[in-house]
Amino acid sequence: MSFLQDPSFFTMGMWSIGAGAIGAAALALLLANTDVFLPKPQKATLEYLEDIDLKTLEKEPMTFKAKALWENNGAVIMAVRRPGCFLCREEAADLSSLKPKLDELGIPLYAVVKEEVKTEVKDFQPYFKGEIFLDEKKKFYGPERRKMMFMGFVRLGVWYNFFRARSGGFSGNLEGEGFILGGVFVVGPGKQGILLEHREKEFGDKVNLVSVLEAARKIKPQTSASEKK
């Protein structure tokens, strides 16, 4: 048992434990930066989206079916993760930069939020140039809601997104629920269907604006003949 009295034995043991812990941490960090543990999105159907109940954000709110947003001219719709988030404000500003082109195409730009906290929606409006509605049941964030918890803060992509938005002059706060991931939809009128469905995979995962415009240009105007079909 003389090895128990040898200080180098304990030094080697502690070194081995430390190396193992570092290796485990490195592996965890590596896996956290892959898509292995990311929540997999379930594609929405047109019928699912059509039946969603939305509310206006007026003093006396009105409830209506979401299909009213796109049934005549189609629509681009942002499901906002959190209005006070500076990453969401950045994406809202990016989408709003498309509004002149969307107006030329006759396609409206909308957003939905999952809650109305203090003045968060009002403070979000300078970044978003379209109407905003409330989705209390969070249906636009489904059919299966996906969350990113604290794993998001060890993802290099998220930190890059933080830096990009901060460098762009965007700021925000921590008000409201921000773990349920959002997305962007381009939906055609009538039964043309969902032309683009972008699901945020991590904080700050923005939709490709070129893809949004390409999808918007595929929208076919609704005619009285097609309405009867």
Side-chain angles (χ1 to χ4, degrees), residues 105-159:
L105 296 169
I107 300 168
L109 175 64
Y110 299 117
V112 297
V113 295
K114 49 179 136 66
E115 58 185 355
E116 190 176 9
V117 179
K118 299 180 181 178
T119 62
E120 291 305 292
V121 175
K122 180 181 178 181
D123 296 339
F124 182 71
Q125 287 175 326
Y127 303 94
F128 189 77
K129 306 303 180 186
E131 289 187 76
I132 303 173
F133 304 99
L134 178 62
D135 177 12
E136 285 184 315
K137 295 180 180 178
K138 305 178 182 63
K139 293 290 189 176
F140 264 99
Y141 304 84
E144 185 174 332
R145 292 177 206 162
R146 300 165 303 115
K147 287 187 177 182
M148 171 159 281
M149 305 299 284
F150 297 105
M151 184 182 73
F153 297 103
V154 297
R155 288 182 63 85
L156 297 179
V158 171
W159 284 100

Side-chain angles (χ1 to χ4, degrees), residues 49-177:
L49 294 182
E50 286 178 332
D51 198 46
I52 295 174
D53 288 322
L54 297 178
K55 284 186 177 181
T56 59
L57 294 171
E58 304 164 337
K59 289 184 178 180
E60 297 183 5
M62 296 175 55
T63 301
F64 64 96
K65 293 297 183 182
K67 67 178 294 185
L69 298 181
W70 60 78
E71 63 181 344
N72 293 322
N73 300 306
V76 176
I77 305 164
M78 177 183 182
V80 182
R81 181 167 51 81
R82 189 169 65 81
C85 172
F86 68 103
L87 296 170
C88 298
R89 291 176 173 183
E90 180 196 30
E91 183 167 31
D94 285 353
L95 283 170
S96 294
S97 71
L98 299 180
K99 195 164 190 313
K101 293 181 180 178
L102 293 175
D103 287 346
E104 289 178 7
L105 296 169
I107 300 168
L109 175 64
Y110 299 117
V112 297
V113 295
K114 49 179 136 66
E115 58 185 355
E116 190 176 9
V117 179
K118 299 180 181 178
T119 62
E120 291 305 292
V121 175
K122 180 181 178 181
D123 296 339
F124 182 71
Q125 287 175 326
Y127 303 94
F128 189 77
K129 306 303 180 186
E131 289 187 76
I132 303 173
F133 304 99
L134 178 62
D135 177 12
E136 285 184 315
K137 295 180 180 178
K138 305 178 182 63
K139 293 290 189 176
F140 264 99
Y141 304 84
E144 185 174 332
R145 292 177 206 162
R146 300 165 303 115
K147 287 187 177 182
M148 171 159 281
M149 305 299 284
F150 297 105
M151 184 182 73
F153 297 103
V154 297
R155 288 182 63 85
L156 297 179
V158 171
W159 284 100
Y160 169 79
N161 296 339
F162 285 166
F163 178 77
R164 180 196 64 220
R166 288 293 188 194
S167 298
F170 293 92
S171 61
N173 57 55
L174 298 176
E175 296 284 352
E177 195 286 322

Side-chain angles (χ1 to χ4, degrees), residues 32-51:
N33 279 278
T34 68
D35 292 349
V36 173
F37 296 113
L38 290 181
K40 301 298 186 289
Q42 180 182 347
K43 292 286 187 181
T45 64
L46 180 62
E47 291 73 21
Y48 171 85
L49 294 182
E50 286 178 332
D51 198 46

